[in-house]
Amino acid sequence: MVRLWIALGVAAVVFYIYSVADCAFFDRSRVRGLPKPVWLLIIILFPIIGGILWFLIGRGRRKSSVGRRVTAPDDDPEFLGKLRVDRDQEERIRQLEKELAELDENGPDDQTGRRDG
């Protein structure tokens, strides 16, 4: 019987430490219900019950892509930002091609003004 109590005590201490560490290092934007410092206080003051409440209520789940809301491309800021970057890159490429074409037309000039040919 004593071994059972020791095993339960060790399990409770491990659960307590894991609950505190998990709450402390958990992403703040995914915490539900109460602010993160309040959850830490609850876990510290009520070790077993606080840890159970943390895992059942406070710890948010990962956002899955299954329930992701589909938006039209013109409403998606990420898509629009990508278009803006692509347009800027195309403009830079056009400008560089224009400069290279001008250099090809003029040819390389040395200091005497002669063209190599």
Side-chain angles (χ1 to χ4, degrees), residues 72-83:
D74 57 342
D75 292 337
D76 186 7
E78 185 177 322
F79 178 77
L80 294 175
K82 184 179 177 296
L83 285 179

Side-chain angles (χ1 to χ4, degrees), residues 51-86:
I52 292 171
L53 289 174
W54 162 248
F55 285 108
L56 292 177
I57 298 171
R59 193 174 202 274
R61 295 192 177 111
R62 283 193 189 128
K63 296 177 183 172
S64 66
S65 60
V66 174
R68 186 175 175 211
R69 186 175 151 228
V70 178
T71 58
D74 57 342
D75 292 337
D76 186 7
E78 185 177 322
F79 178 77
L80 294 175
K82 184 179 177 296
L83 285 179
R84 195 172 305 116
V85 169
D86 289 346

Side-chain angles (χ1 to χ4, degrees), residues 34-52:
L34 299 170
K36 190 172 172 178
V38 176
W39 276 116
L40 277 170
L41 188 64
I42 289 172
I43 294 170
I44 291 170
L45 292 177
F46 308 104
I48 303 300
I49 296 173
I52 292 171

